[in-house]
Amino acid sequence: MSTSTAPAATLRHFLVDTDLSPAEQSEVLDLAQTMKAERYRHRPLAGPQTGIVFFDKTSTRTRVSFAAGIADLGGQPLIVNPGETQLGHKESIADTAQVLSRMVSVIVWRTFAQSGLQEMAEHATVPVVNALSDDYHPCQLLADLLTVREHKGRTEGLVMTYLGDAANNMANSYLLGGVTAGMHVRIAGPSGYLPKADVVAAAEARAAETGGSVLITTDAAQALAGADVVVTDTWISMGQEDEKEARQSLFRDYAVDAGAMAKAAPDAIFLHCLPAYRGFEVSAEVIDGPQSVVFDEAENRLHAQKALMAWLLYRSGLATPPEAEPNAAAR
């Protein structure tokens, strides 16, 4: 009997965009493109194994894409809505992580505090995925980068401009995920609504590795000049409804309308993670126009997240890629 001396696989999680190195991010995007072409070839959750998806916030695209994605991977999605478990109040996150790890193969959580995700990952023995937190939305960025690849052929060297509320989770992830993909990321918003210094520093450090760059400005025209990709997000996120009128006035100069798109490159594409509020952060003319790829972007949540979950399971030694399975060459 032989004994393998190969090192044990390291458990991998995805809590923030920079949890993937530039090469690893590219691997995930490559896998996403493969999975989009061959939707049911990869079945790392066959059994079916269970993938649990917690929602502390309401959702449409995240809910459907993870549920459909887990099923596509051969698994059984278990969707848990707010108030349906003791997670974080009657039972600690640490204890919950240990219990779940004995029952499910992947833990996905759409929540508020990033610290909760970090604690879950510290105690889990299966991959943990950030499906959105107050600080980051890294799964959305994978879908967006996949969409840029499809429409532009690459991400490296392209200029991606984000306008609007630049102090939110989307701006943070556009910074970190964009420079990881080798992009020149420009973030524009009003003073007081710009990314925190630590996020900017992390993005600049990653940009130094990839040849990307970071620009933070209050000047929308400066950010838009020649941009290949123009992005925005809602000005009023969940919990900010009482600030609606004030925020609409504050961000008005950062709206993406025909005039704004005219400052970008002639073949620029427009992205929005949705839901969108036409007439506020984006005009109907832009989001419903020929430069908009928002519905490709929405579909790509499915393919990018499937690829991410499969990649995490493969890299963690918890599943085997189809090409590495016995008799794969004969199929």
Side-chain angles (χ1 to χ4, degrees):
M1 181 177 70
S2 63
T3 302
S4 172
T5 58
T10 300
L11 180 63
R12 298 297 299 268
H13 306 292
F14 189 54
L15 309 183
V16 61
D17 305 81
T18 46
D19 281 346
L20 296 177
S21 71
E24 289 171 342
Q25 184 196 72
S26 185
E27 286 179 16
V28 172
L29 295 174
D30 287 344
L31 184 56
Q33 289 181 295
T34 298
M35 286 185 163
K36 189 168 183 177
E38 300 179 83
R39 183 165 173 175
Y40 304 110
R41 180 167 180 249
H42 288 260
R43 308 279 285 176
L45 293 175
Q49 301 171 53
T50 299
I52 192 165
V53 191
F54 288 99
F55 287 94
D56 295 342
K57 297 184 177 185
T58 58
S59 168
T60 299
R61 279 150 295 280
T62 300
R63 179 184 299 269
V64 176
S65 58
F66 270 110
I70 289 168
D72 282 2
L73 295 176
Q76 172 67 44
L78 175 58
I79 305 298
V80 181
N81 294 311
E84 292 184 344
T85 72
Q86 288 91 10
L87 174 60
H89 52 98
K90 290 184 179 179
E91 185 170 30
S92 71
I93 294 172
D95 285 356
T96 301
Q98 294 183 73
V99 170
L100 293 177
S101 295
R102 294 169 179 247
M103 299 181 182
V104 305
S105 296
V106 62
I107 299 168
V108 180
W109 194 4
R110 181 180 173 95
T111 189
F112 295 91
Q114 184 76 11
S115 58
L117 284 154
Q118 293 167 342
E119 186 175 359
M120 182 75 79
E122 286 168 7
H123 296 277
T125 56
V126 298
V128 176
V129 174
N130 178 0
L132 177 142
S133 71
D134 287 345
D135 292 336
Y136 307 103
H137 198 353
C139 287
Q140 179 67 56
L141 256 290
L142 290 178
D144 289 5
L145 294 171
L146 177 59
T147 308
V148 173
R149 271 193 178 197
E150 289 177 341
H151 288 271
K152 293 293 185 179
R154 72 188 199 281
T155 57
E156 297 84 355
L158 298 181
V159 173
M160 180 164 64
T161 295
Y162 173 93
L163 300 182
D165 183 357
N168 67 7
N169 52 6
M170 286 308 311
N172 290 345
S173 278
Y174 278 116
L175 269 176
L176 297 176
V179 296
T180 297
M183 301 183 80
H184 302 291
V185 182
R186 302 172 183 171
I187 304 289
S191 180
Y193 293 85
L194 296 171
K196 293 180 180 178
D198 60 333
V199 177
V200 176
E204 290 174 337
R206 178 56 61 89
E209 299 176 38
T210 65
S213 66
V214 172
L215 171 68
I216 309 298
T217 181
T218 58
D219 187 339
Q222 179 189 21
L224 283 165
D228 301 293
V229 182
V230 178
V231 191
T232 191
D233 185 24
T234 178
W235 295 340
I236 301 119
S237 297
M238 283 177 277
Q240 297 174 337
E241 290 80 6
D242 291 346
E243 306 170 37
K244 182 176 179 179
E245 290 187 10
R247 293 178 74 86
Q248 286 172 352
S249 176
L250 180 67
F251 297 118
R252 187 169 293 122
D253 291 342
Y254 300 90
V256 181
D257 54 19
M261 291 299 294
K263 295 179 175 68
D267 61 347
I269 59 173
F270 172 75
L271 298 175
H272 191 307
C273 64
L274 303 179
Y277 298 92
R278 289 163 173 80
F280 294 101
E281 74 271 11
V282 60
S283 68
E285 181 181 11
V286 169
I287 195 170
D288 298 324
Q291 291 174 281
S292 174
V293 294
V294 299
F295 296 111
D296 291 345
E297 177 189 9
E299 178 192 345
N300 282 338
R301 290 290 301 277
L302 171 66
H303 309 298
Q305 288 161 190
K306 282 174 59 179
L308 173 69
M309 289 186 286
W311 188 91
L312 292 171
L313 290 163
Y314 297 153
R315 280 299 189 100
S316 300
L318 299 174
T320 303
E323 59 270 18
E325 293 174 354
N327 303 317
R331 290 202 294 268

